[in-house]
Amino acid sequence: MQNLGKVYLVGAGVGELAYLTLRGKQLLTEAEVLIYDALVDSDLLTLVSPNCLKLDVGKRGGQPSTPQAQINQLLVAYCLQGKQVVRLKSGDPFIFGRVREEIEALVAAECAFEVVPGISSVLAAPTFAGIPLTDKYLSNCFAVLSGHQPELLDWNALAKIDTLVILMGTRYLAEIVTKLLACGRIADEPVAIICNCSRPEQKIFQGTLTDIVDRTRGISLSPAVIVIGKVVDLASQLQSSPSSAVLTGKTILVTRAAEQSSQFRDLLQQHGAKVLEMPALEIMPPSSWQTLDNAIANLPQFNWLILTSANGVEYFFERLATLGKDARSLAGIKIAVVGKKTAATLQRKKLQPDFIPPDFVADSLVAHFPEVLEGQKILFPRVETGGREILVKELTTQGAEVTEVPAYQSGCPQKITAEIWQALQQKQIDAITFASSKTVRNFHQLVQQELGHSDILLTTLLENICLASIGPQTSQTCQELFNRVDVEAQEYTLEGLTTALVNYFSNIK
Protein backbone atom coordinates (compact mmCIF):
# COMPACT_ATOMS: atom_id res chain seq x y z
CA MET A 1 0.00 0.00 0.00
CA GLN A 2 1.36 3.43 -0.96
CA ASN A 3 2.56 5.60 1.92
CA LEU A 4 0.76 8.97 1.75
CA GLY A 5 2.67 10.55 4.62
CA LYS A 6 4.75 13.67 4.10
CA VAL A 7 7.11 15.79 6.18
CA TYR A 8 7.06 19.57 5.93
CA LEU A 9 10.18 21.31 7.23
CA VAL A 10 8.68 24.70 8.07
CA GLY A 11 10.42 27.90 9.07
CA ALA A 12 8.58 29.40 12.05
CA GLY A 13 9.97 32.87 11.43
CA VAL A 14 11.24 35.24 14.07
CA GLY A 15 8.67 34.68 16.77
CA GLU A 16 5.28 36.33 16.61
CA LEU A 17 2.48 34.66 14.70
CA ALA A 18 2.17 37.76 12.51
CA TYR A 19 5.49 36.93 10.84
CA LEU A 20 4.69 33.30 9.95
CA THR A 21 4.26 32.69 6.22
CA LEU A 22 0.81 31.89 4.86
CA ARG A 23 2.06 28.49 3.70
CA GLY A 24 3.41 27.77 7.16
CA LYS A 25 0.09 28.72 8.75
CA GLN A 26 -1.84 26.46 6.38
CA LEU A 27 0.40 23.48 7.11
CA LEU A 28 0.17 23.95 10.87
CA THR A 29 -3.63 23.85 10.73
CA GLU A 30 -3.45 20.57 8.76
CA ALA A 31 -0.69 18.88 10.77
CA GLU A 32 -1.30 15.49 12.36
CA VAL A 33 2.11 15.48 14.06
CA LEU A 34 4.05 18.59 15.09
CA ILE A 35 7.73 18.31 16.03
CA TYR A 36 9.01 21.69 17.15
CA ASP A 37 12.03 23.48 18.60
CA ALA A 38 12.24 25.30 21.94
CA LEU A 39 12.60 28.75 20.36
CA VAL A 40 9.29 28.44 18.49
CA ASP A 41 6.76 30.97 19.85
CA SER A 42 3.95 29.30 21.81
CA ASP A 43 1.34 31.31 19.86
CA LEU A 44 2.15 29.25 16.77
CA LEU A 45 1.16 26.07 18.61
CA THR A 46 -2.41 27.37 18.92
CA LEU A 47 -2.85 26.92 15.16
CA VAL A 48 -2.71 23.13 15.26
CA SER A 49 -5.72 20.88 15.72
CA PRO A 50 -6.48 19.67 19.27
CA ASN A 51 -5.98 16.16 17.89
CA CYS A 52 -2.48 16.91 16.60
CA LEU A 53 0.36 15.11 18.41
CA LYS A 54 2.82 17.79 19.61
CA LEU A 55 6.42 16.85 20.39
CA ASP A 56 8.85 19.39 21.89
CA VAL A 57 12.40 18.40 20.92
CA GLY A 58 14.19 21.33 22.57
CA LYS A 59 17.14 22.34 20.35
CA ARG A 60 18.29 25.36 22.32
CA GLY A 61 21.94 25.98 23.14
CA GLY A 62 23.05 24.88 26.60
CA GLN A 63 19.72 23.25 27.47
CA PRO A 64 18.46 19.64 27.30
CA SER A 65 17.20 18.60 23.88
CA THR A 66 16.36 15.52 21.89
CA PRO A 67 19.40 14.07 20.04
CA GLN A 68 19.37 14.87 16.32
CA ALA A 69 19.42 11.19 15.37
CA GLN A 70 16.26 10.62 17.42
CA ILE A 71 14.53 13.58 15.74
CA ASN A 72 15.40 12.08 12.37
CA GLN A 73 13.86 8.78 13.46
CA LEU A 74 10.66 10.48 14.63
CA LEU A 75 10.22 12.23 11.29
CA VAL A 76 10.69 9.00 9.37
CA ALA A 77 8.52 6.89 11.70
CA TYR A 78 5.48 9.18 11.60
CA CYS A 79 5.80 9.77 7.87
CA LEU A 80 5.84 6.00 7.23
CA GLN A 81 2.64 5.76 9.28
CA GLY A 82 1.00 7.97 6.65
CA LYS A 83 0.94 11.11 8.83
CA GLN A 84 1.19 14.73 7.73
CA VAL A 85 4.19 15.83 9.80
CA VAL A 86 5.32 19.41 10.38
CA ARG A 87 8.89 19.88 11.57
CA LEU A 88 8.76 23.45 12.89
CA LYS A 89 12.10 25.24 13.15
CA SER A 90 12.70 28.75 14.38
CA GLY A 91 13.70 31.24 11.70
CA ASP A 92 14.46 29.61 8.35
CA PRO A 93 15.17 25.87 8.10
CA PHE A 94 18.28 26.34 5.98
CA ILE A 95 20.03 28.83 8.29
CA PHE A 96 21.82 26.95 11.08
CA GLY A 97 18.86 24.56 11.23
CA ARG A 98 20.63 21.19 10.73
CA VAL A 99 17.99 20.46 8.14
CA ARG A 100 20.41 18.60 5.88
CA GLU A 101 20.61 15.67 8.31
CA GLU A 102 16.82 15.45 8.54
CA ILE A 103 16.38 15.52 4.76
CA GLU A 104 19.06 12.86 4.28
CA ALA A 105 17.19 10.60 6.71
CA LEU A 106 13.90 11.21 4.88
CA VAL A 107 15.45 10.55 1.48
CA ALA A 108 17.05 7.32 2.73
CA ALA A 109 13.63 6.14 3.96
CA GLU A 110 11.92 7.28 0.72
CA CYS A 111 9.74 9.75 2.61
CA ALA A 112 8.19 12.68 0.76
CA PHE A 113 9.16 16.11 2.10
CA GLU A 114 8.85 19.82 1.40
CA VAL A 115 10.89 22.71 2.77
CA VAL A 116 8.97 25.91 3.58
CA PRO A 117 11.07 29.08 4.07
CA GLY A 118 10.73 31.25 7.15
CA ILE A 119 11.80 34.80 7.96
CA SER A 120 15.21 34.48 9.60
CA SER A 121 16.30 36.67 12.49
CA VAL A 122 19.43 37.27 10.41
CA LEU A 123 17.36 39.67 8.31
CA ALA A 124 14.48 40.51 10.62
CA ALA A 125 16.33 41.51 13.81
CA PRO A 126 18.40 44.26 12.15
CA THR A 127 15.29 45.48 10.35
CA PHE A 128 13.29 45.72 13.59
CA ALA A 129 16.23 47.65 15.08
CA GLY A 130 16.37 50.03 12.11
CA ILE A 131 19.74 48.70 10.91
CA PRO A 132 20.11 48.16 7.14
CA LEU A 133 22.59 45.38 6.42
CA THR A 134 23.62 47.08 3.20
CA ASP A 135 23.95 50.80 2.53
CA LYS A 136 25.31 52.71 -0.47
CA TYR A 137 27.90 54.50 1.65
CA LEU A 138 28.46 52.34 4.73
CA SER A 139 28.08 48.67 3.80
CA ASN A 140 28.57 46.99 0.44
CA CYS A 141 28.37 43.48 1.87
CA PHE A 142 27.56 41.51 4.99
CA ALA A 143 28.42 38.09 6.38
CA VAL A 144 26.31 35.80 8.55
CA LEU A 145 28.05 33.55 11.04
CA SER A 146 27.39 31.33 14.02
CA GLY A 147 29.27 32.53 17.06
CA HIS A 148 29.06 29.45 19.25
CA GLN A 149 32.44 28.08 18.07
CA PRO A 150 34.53 31.22 17.44
CA GLU A 151 37.78 29.28 17.33
CA LEU A 152 36.73 27.69 14.02
CA LEU A 153 36.23 30.97 12.14
CA ASP A 154 38.69 32.93 9.97
CA TRP A 155 38.65 36.22 11.86
CA ASN A 156 41.24 37.82 9.59
CA ALA A 157 38.83 37.44 6.67
CA LEU A 158 35.74 38.38 8.66
CA ALA A 159 37.36 41.56 10.00
CA LYS A 160 37.54 42.88 6.43
CA ILE A 161 33.76 42.54 5.79
CA ASP A 162 31.70 45.73 6.20
CA THR A 163 28.90 44.27 8.34
CA LEU A 164 28.80 41.12 10.45
CA VAL A 165 25.62 39.41 11.64
CA ILE A 166 26.26 36.88 14.38
CA LEU A 167 23.80 34.29 15.68
CA MET A 168 24.31 32.24 18.85
CA GLY A 169 27.20 34.46 19.89
CA THR A 170 26.23 36.24 23.11
CA ARG A 171 27.92 33.66 25.36
CA TYR A 172 31.18 34.30 23.47
CA LEU A 173 30.82 38.06 23.04
CA ALA A 174 34.04 38.94 24.83
CA GLU A 175 36.03 36.44 22.77
CA ILE A 176 34.47 37.66 19.50
CA VAL A 177 35.31 41.29 20.35
CA THR A 178 38.89 40.37 21.26
CA LYS A 179 39.44 38.47 18.00
CA LEU A 180 38.03 41.29 15.83
CA LEU A 181 40.16 43.92 17.54
CA ALA A 182 43.23 41.69 17.19
CA CYS A 183 42.52 41.39 13.46
CA GLY A 184 42.41 45.16 12.89
CA ARG A 185 38.77 46.14 13.42
CA ILE A 186 38.65 49.68 14.84
CA ALA A 187 37.88 50.02 18.55
CA ASP A 188 34.92 52.40 18.10
CA GLU A 189 33.17 50.11 15.60
CA PRO A 190 29.42 50.27 16.43
CA VAL A 191 27.77 47.13 17.81
CA ALA A 192 24.09 46.33 18.38
CA ILE A 193 22.61 43.32 20.18
CA ILE A 194 18.93 42.73 19.38
CA CYS A 195 17.20 40.44 21.88
CA ASN A 196 13.79 38.79 21.36
CA CYS A 197 13.25 40.53 18.05
CA SER A 198 9.62 41.21 16.97
CA ARG A 199 8.24 40.45 20.43
CA PRO A 200 6.87 42.91 22.99
CA GLU A 201 9.92 42.21 25.18
CA GLN A 202 12.37 43.12 22.36
CA LYS A 203 15.42 45.01 23.66
CA ILE A 204 18.31 46.59 21.80
CA PHE A 205 21.71 47.19 23.38
CA GLN A 206 24.16 49.43 21.54
CA GLY A 207 27.80 50.23 22.07
CA THR A 208 31.18 49.75 20.42
CA LEU A 209 33.74 46.98 20.31
CA THR A 210 35.40 48.78 23.21
CA ASP A 211 32.48 48.92 25.62
CA ILE A 212 29.71 46.51 24.51
CA VAL A 213 30.91 43.74 26.84
CA ASP A 214 30.81 46.06 29.88
CA ARG A 215 27.44 47.53 28.81
CA THR A 216 25.80 44.09 28.77
CA ARG A 217 27.66 42.43 31.64
CA GLY A 218 25.27 40.43 33.86
CA ILE A 219 22.35 40.79 31.44
CA SER A 220 20.67 37.71 29.99
CA LEU A 221 20.86 38.34 26.24
CA SER A 222 19.77 35.10 24.55
CA PRO A 223 18.10 34.71 22.10
CA ALA A 224 19.81 37.57 20.32
CA VAL A 225 21.40 38.73 17.07
CA ILE A 226 24.66 40.69 17.13
CA VAL A 227 25.30 43.25 14.38
CA ILE A 228 28.75 44.81 13.98
CA GLY A 229 29.42 47.58 11.49
CA LYS A 230 29.01 51.27 10.71
CA VAL A 231 25.35 50.75 9.68
CA VAL A 232 24.48 50.27 13.36
CA ASP A 233 24.71 54.06 13.75
CA LEU A 234 21.72 54.42 11.40
CA ALA A 235 19.38 52.76 13.93
CA SER A 236 18.41 56.04 15.59
CA GLN A 237 17.23 57.42 12.23
CA LEU A 238 15.63 54.37 10.66
CA GLN A 239 14.02 52.39 13.49
CA SER A 240 10.24 52.08 13.18
CA SER A 241 8.07 54.08 15.54
CA PRO A 242 6.93 52.17 18.63
CA SER A 243 3.62 50.39 18.17
CA SER A 244 0.63 52.58 18.92
CA ALA A 245 -1.69 49.59 19.23
CA VAL A 246 -3.58 49.97 22.51
CA LEU A 247 -3.21 46.34 23.59
CA THR A 248 0.53 46.15 22.96
CA GLY A 249 2.14 44.63 26.05
CA LYS A 250 -1.18 43.25 27.32
CA THR A 251 -1.78 39.53 27.73
CA ILE A 252 -5.39 38.46 27.14
CA LEU A 253 -6.71 35.03 28.17
CA VAL A 254 -9.42 33.71 25.82
CA THR A 255 -11.75 31.03 27.23
CA ARG A 256 -13.66 29.99 24.10
CA ALA A 257 -13.72 26.43 22.80
CA ALA A 258 -10.45 25.52 21.06
CA GLU A 259 -11.99 25.29 17.58
CA GLN A 260 -13.69 28.68 17.96
CA SER A 261 -10.91 30.88 19.30
CA SER A 262 -8.88 31.67 16.16
CA GLN A 263 -11.07 34.55 14.95
CA PHE A 264 -11.07 36.23 18.36
CA ARG A 265 -7.32 35.71 18.72
CA ASP A 266 -6.76 37.43 15.37
CA LEU A 267 -8.94 40.39 16.37
CA LEU A 268 -7.02 40.90 19.62
CA GLN A 269 -3.62 40.49 17.97
CA GLN A 270 -4.49 43.18 15.44
CA HIS A 271 -4.54 45.57 18.41
CA GLY A 272 -1.17 44.34 19.69
CA ALA A 273 -2.27 41.88 22.38
CA LYS A 274 -0.48 38.69 23.31
CA VAL A 275 -3.18 36.02 23.41
CA LEU A 276 -3.23 32.92 25.58
CA GLU A 277 -5.93 30.33 25.03
CA MET A 278 -7.63 28.30 27.73
CA PRO A 279 -10.49 26.35 26.14
CA ALA A 280 -13.22 26.33 28.81
CA LEU A 281 -15.57 24.38 26.54
CA GLU A 282 -15.25 21.08 24.74
CA ILE A 283 -17.72 20.79 21.86
CA MET A 284 -18.83 17.27 20.90
CA PRO A 285 -21.79 15.40 19.34
CA PRO A 286 -24.96 14.88 21.40
CA SER A 287 -25.40 11.73 23.45
CA SER A 288 -27.91 10.54 20.82
CA TRP A 289 -28.75 11.64 17.27
CA GLN A 290 -32.23 10.11 17.35
CA THR A 291 -34.35 13.20 18.02
CA LEU A 292 -32.42 15.32 15.52
CA ASP A 293 -32.68 12.55 12.92
CA ASN A 294 -36.45 12.35 13.48
CA ALA A 295 -36.76 16.11 13.02
CA ILE A 296 -34.71 16.03 9.81
CA ALA A 297 -36.93 13.23 8.49
CA ASN A 298 -39.95 15.51 9.03
CA LEU A 299 -38.51 18.87 7.90
CA PRO A 300 -41.51 19.81 5.67
CA GLN A 301 -43.75 20.15 8.74
CA PHE A 302 -41.74 23.12 10.09
CA ASN A 303 -42.20 26.80 9.24
CA TRP A 304 -39.00 28.08 10.81
CA LEU A 305 -35.53 26.80 11.69
CA ILE A 306 -33.86 28.77 14.53
CA LEU A 307 -30.09 28.62 14.94
CA THR A 308 -28.48 30.45 17.86
CA SER A 309 -24.83 29.41 17.56
CA ALA A 310 -22.18 28.51 15.02
CA ASN A 311 -21.99 25.07 16.67
CA GLY A 312 -25.71 24.56 16.04
CA VAL A 313 -25.21 25.40 12.35
CA GLU A 314 -22.21 23.11 11.92
CA TYR A 315 -23.70 20.08 13.67
CA PHE A 316 -27.14 20.46 12.07
CA PHE A 317 -25.76 20.57 8.53
CA GLU A 318 -23.21 17.84 9.27
CA ARG A 319 -26.07 15.57 10.33
CA LEU A 320 -28.15 16.63 7.33
CA ALA A 321 -25.31 15.47 5.06
CA THR A 322 -24.86 12.23 7.00
CA LEU A 323 -28.50 11.40 6.31
CA GLY A 324 -28.03 11.99 2.59
CA LYS A 325 -29.70 15.41 2.47
CA ASP A 326 -28.52 18.95 1.73
CA ALA A 327 -29.77 22.54 1.84
CA ARG A 328 -32.49 21.73 -0.71
CA SER A 329 -34.27 19.84 2.07
CA LEU A 330 -34.93 23.24 3.69
CA ALA A 331 -36.97 24.55 0.76
CA GLY A 332 -40.04 26.31 2.15
CA ILE A 333 -38.54 26.68 5.64
CA LYS A 334 -37.42 30.12 6.84
CA ILE A 335 -34.26 30.45 8.89
CA ALA A 336 -33.67 32.78 11.83
CA VAL A 337 -30.21 33.14 13.38
CA VAL A 338 -28.87 34.91 16.44
CA GLY A 339 -25.54 36.72 16.04
CA LYS A 340 -23.17 37.70 13.25
CA LYS A 341 -20.96 34.64 13.77
CA THR A 342 -23.96 32.31 13.41
CA ALA A 343 -25.08 34.18 10.27
CA ALA A 344 -21.57 33.99 8.77
CA THR A 345 -21.40 30.25 9.46
CA LEU A 346 -24.77 29.77 7.74
CA GLN A 347 -23.63 31.85 4.77
CA ARG A 348 -20.66 29.53 4.31
CA LYS A 349 -23.29 26.86 3.70
CA LYS A 350 -24.51 29.03 0.79
CA LEU A 351 -27.66 30.05 2.68
CA GLN A 352 -28.89 33.48 3.72
CA PRO A 353 -30.87 33.84 6.97
CA ASP A 354 -34.39 35.21 6.62
CA PHE A 355 -34.18 37.00 9.96
CA ILE A 356 -31.41 38.25 12.28
CA PRO A 357 -32.57 40.08 15.43
CA PRO A 358 -30.95 43.51 15.83
CA ASP A 359 -29.32 43.04 19.24
CA PHE A 360 -27.48 39.76 18.55
CA VAL A 361 -29.08 38.04 21.55
CA ALA A 362 -31.76 35.35 21.77
CA ASP A 363 -34.12 37.55 23.82
CA SER A 364 -34.29 40.02 20.94
CA LEU A 365 -35.41 37.30 18.54
CA VAL A 366 -38.87 37.02 20.10
CA ALA A 367 -39.33 40.77 20.50
CA HIS A 368 -38.56 41.46 16.83
CA PHE A 369 -39.80 38.27 15.19
CA PRO A 370 -41.03 39.20 11.69
CA GLU A 371 -44.22 37.11 11.75
CA VAL A 372 -47.00 36.40 14.22
CA LEU A 373 -45.76 33.51 16.33
CA GLU A 374 -49.20 32.02 16.95
CA GLY A 375 -49.32 28.64 15.20
CA GLN A 376 -45.72 28.70 13.90
CA LYS A 377 -43.95 25.34 13.97
CA ILE A 378 -40.33 25.94 14.90
CA LEU A 379 -37.36 23.57 14.84
CA PHE A 380 -34.65 24.56 17.32
CA PRO A 381 -31.38 22.51 17.16
CA ARG A 382 -29.45 23.47 20.27
CA VAL A 383 -26.90 22.46 22.89
CA GLU A 384 -27.99 19.34 24.74
CA THR A 385 -27.72 20.73 28.26
CA GLY A 386 -26.99 24.04 29.88
CA GLY A 387 -28.54 26.39 27.34
CA ARG A 388 -30.86 29.22 28.30
CA GLU A 389 -34.51 28.21 28.52
CA ILE A 390 -36.00 31.70 28.23
CA LEU A 391 -36.12 31.66 24.41
CA VAL A 392 -38.23 28.51 24.20
CA LYS A 393 -40.47 29.72 27.03
CA GLU A 394 -41.15 33.07 25.35
CA LEU A 395 -41.75 31.51 21.91
CA THR A 396 -44.20 29.06 23.45
CA THR A 397 -45.94 31.82 25.38
CA GLN A 398 -46.51 33.61 22.07
CA GLY A 399 -48.26 30.53 20.70
CA ALA A 400 -45.44 28.88 18.73
CA GLU A 401 -44.93 25.13 18.73
CA VAL A 402 -41.23 24.60 19.38
CA THR A 403 -39.42 21.32 18.77
CA GLU A 404 -36.12 21.32 20.65
CA VAL A 405 -33.53 18.81 19.49
CA PRO A 406 -29.98 18.31 20.84
CA ALA A 407 -27.51 18.96 18.01
CA TYR A 408 -24.33 19.03 20.08
CA GLN A 409 -23.16 19.16 23.66
CA SER A 410 -20.53 21.23 25.41
CA GLY A 411 -18.57 19.99 28.37
CA CYS A 412 -15.95 21.26 30.75
CA PRO A 413 -12.31 20.22 30.19
CA GLN A 414 -10.74 18.13 32.94
CA LYS A 415 -8.15 20.68 34.05
CA ILE A 416 -6.28 23.87 33.26
CA THR A 417 -3.04 23.41 31.33
CA ALA A 418 0.17 23.93 33.28
CA GLU A 419 1.13 26.89 31.08
CA ILE A 420 -2.10 28.80 31.75
CA TRP A 421 -2.14 28.00 35.45
CA GLN A 422 1.43 29.27 35.78
CA ALA A 423 0.52 32.49 33.93
CA LEU A 424 -2.41 33.07 36.30
CA GLN A 425 -0.36 32.42 39.41
CA GLN A 426 2.50 34.64 38.26
CA LYS A 427 0.14 37.56 37.45
CA GLN A 428 1.10 37.53 33.77
CA ILE A 429 -2.48 37.99 32.52
CA ASP A 430 -4.10 41.41 32.14
CA ALA A 431 -7.61 40.38 31.07
CA ILE A 432 -9.81 37.28 30.84
CA THR A 433 -12.58 37.20 28.23
CA PHE A 434 -15.85 35.30 28.44
CA ALA A 435 -18.09 34.80 25.40
CA SER A 436 -20.87 32.87 27.19
CA SER A 437 -22.18 32.09 30.66
CA LYS A 438 -21.01 28.52 30.26
CA THR A 439 -17.39 29.61 29.75
CA VAL A 440 -17.66 31.63 32.98
CA ARG A 441 -19.02 28.63 34.92
CA ASN A 442 -16.45 26.23 33.50
CA PHE A 443 -13.55 28.62 34.13
CA HIS A 444 -14.76 29.10 37.69
CA GLN A 445 -15.01 25.33 38.18
CA LEU A 446 -11.52 24.67 36.80
CA VAL A 447 -9.87 27.41 38.86
CA GLN A 448 -11.67 26.42 42.05
CA GLN A 449 -10.55 22.85 41.43
CA GLU A 450 -6.93 24.04 41.48
CA LEU A 451 -7.49 26.25 44.54
CA GLY A 452 -9.32 23.69 46.65
CA HIS A 453 -12.60 25.62 46.30
CA SER A 454 -11.43 28.66 48.23
CA ASP A 455 -13.28 31.89 47.43
CA ILE A 456 -10.60 33.93 49.20
CA LEU A 457 -7.83 32.45 47.06
CA LEU A 458 -10.00 32.96 43.96
CA THR A 459 -10.39 36.67 44.73
CA THR A 460 -6.64 37.00 45.27
CA LEU A 461 -5.82 35.12 42.07
CA LEU A 462 -8.03 37.36 39.91
CA GLU A 463 -7.05 40.59 41.62
CA ASN A 464 -6.07 43.30 39.10
CA ILE A 465 -7.18 41.13 36.17
CA CYS A 466 -9.86 42.67 33.96
CA LEU A 467 -12.89 40.39 33.56
CA ALA A 468 -14.48 41.05 30.18
CA SER A 469 -17.94 39.83 29.12
CA ILE A 470 -19.59 39.63 25.71
CA GLY A 471 -23.07 40.61 26.96
CA PRO A 472 -25.60 41.00 29.80
CA GLN A 473 -26.24 37.32 30.53
CA THR A 474 -22.54 36.53 30.63
CA SER A 475 -21.97 39.57 32.85
CA GLN A 476 -24.68 38.34 35.24
CA THR A 477 -22.88 35.02 35.61
CA CYS A 478 -19.59 36.86 36.26
CA GLN A 479 -21.31 38.83 39.02
CA GLU A 480 -22.72 35.62 40.54
CA LEU A 481 -19.40 33.78 40.60
CA PHE A 482 -16.73 36.51 40.83
CA ASN A 483 -18.76 39.39 42.34
CA ARG A 484 -17.67 41.69 39.53
CA VAL A 485 -17.33 42.29 35.81
CA ASP A 486 -15.07 45.07 34.51
CA VAL A 487 -15.93 45.23 30.82
CA GLU A 488 -19.12 44.45 28.92
CA ALA A 489 -19.39 44.66 25.13
CA GLN A 490 -21.94 47.17 23.82
CA GLU A 491 -22.39 45.05 20.70
CA TYR A 492 -22.67 41.43 21.76
CA THR A 493 -20.12 40.05 19.28
CA LEU A 494 -16.42 39.20 19.33
CA GLU A 495 -15.78 42.45 17.49
CA GLY A 496 -17.77 44.27 20.16
CA LEU A 497 -15.84 42.57 22.94
CA THR A 498 -12.54 43.51 21.27
CA THR A 499 -13.65 47.14 21.01
CA ALA A 500 -14.70 47.14 24.68
CA LEU A 501 -11.25 45.89 25.74
CA VAL A 502 -9.50 48.50 23.59
CA ASN A 503 -11.62 51.24 25.15
CA TYR A 504 -11.00 49.91 28.67
CA PHE A 505 -7.22 49.84 28.34
CA SER A 506 -7.18 53.19 26.53
CA ASN A 507 -8.83 54.79 29.53
CA ILE A 508 -6.53 53.34 32.16
CA LYS A 509 -3.25 54.25 30.48
Side-chain angles (χ1 to χ4, degrees), residues 126-135 231-241:
T127 299
F128 282 117
I131 301 170
L133 295 182
T134 61
D135 179 79
V231 287
V232 169
D233 281 340
L234 296 176
S236 59
Q237 305 170 42
L238 304 181
Q239 187 176 359
S240 302
S241 301

Side-chain angles (χ1 to χ4, degrees), residues 251-255 276-278 420 424 429 431-433 443:
T251 299
I252 312 294
L253 180 63
V254 173
T255 60
L276 298 180
E277 298 184 15
M278 175 194 152
I420 298 302
L424 282 166
I429 292 171
I432 303 172
T433 64
F443 175 83

Side-chain angles (χ1 to χ4, degrees), residues 319-394:
R319 196 59 186 173
L320 201 66
T322 299
L323 297 174
K325 300 177 182 292
D326 57 27
R328 289 172 294 183
S329 302
L330 297 172
I333 302 175
K334 295 178 181 178
I335 304 176
V337 303
V338 175
K340 289 181 178 179
K341 178 75 180 291
T342 312
T345 306
L346 181 67
Q347 287 160 354
R348 287 197 291 271
K349 309 295 182 185
K350 310 300 182 185
L351 289 171
Q352 293 293 334
D354 296 283
F355 172 56
I356 307 175
D359 298 327
F360 312 118
V361 289
D363 298 7
S364 179
L365 185 143
V366 178
H368 296 90
F369 205 78
E371 296 181 355
V372 176
L373 283 164
E374 181 73 36
Q376 298 285 353
K377 293 187 176 181
I378 296 174
L379 175 60
F380 182 20
R382 57 173 294 176
V383 65
E384 185 167 348
T385 59
R388 294 185 62 224
E389 305 299 330
I390 187 68
L391 176 60
V392 175
K393 181 179 179 181
E394 291 186 6

Side-chain angles (χ1 to χ4, degrees), residues 6 8 10 21-28 30 114 116:
K6 188 170 182 178
Y8 299 89
V10 178
T21 64
L22 293 175
R23 178 62 171 156
K25 184 176 182 179
Q26 174 200 348
L27 291 171
L28 281 173
E30 298 172 353
E114 176 184 329
V116 180

Side-chain angles (χ1 to χ4, degrees), residues 489-505:
Q490 296 301 302
E491 179 185 285
Y492 313 140
T493 64
L494 295 177
E495 293 84 355
L497 184 50
T498 302
T499 299
L501 281 166
V502 168
N503 291 338
Y504 174 82
F505 284 109

Side-chain angles (χ1 to χ4, degrees), residues 152-175:
L152 300 181
L153 299 173
D154 184 346
W155 290 102
N156 282 309
L158 289 171
K160 296 179 175 65
I161 295 173
D162 292 342
T163 304
L164 300 177
V165 183
I166 306 172
L167 305 183
M168 300 173 283
T170 54
R171 292 173 62 192
Y172 306 95
L173 181 61
E175 185 177 349

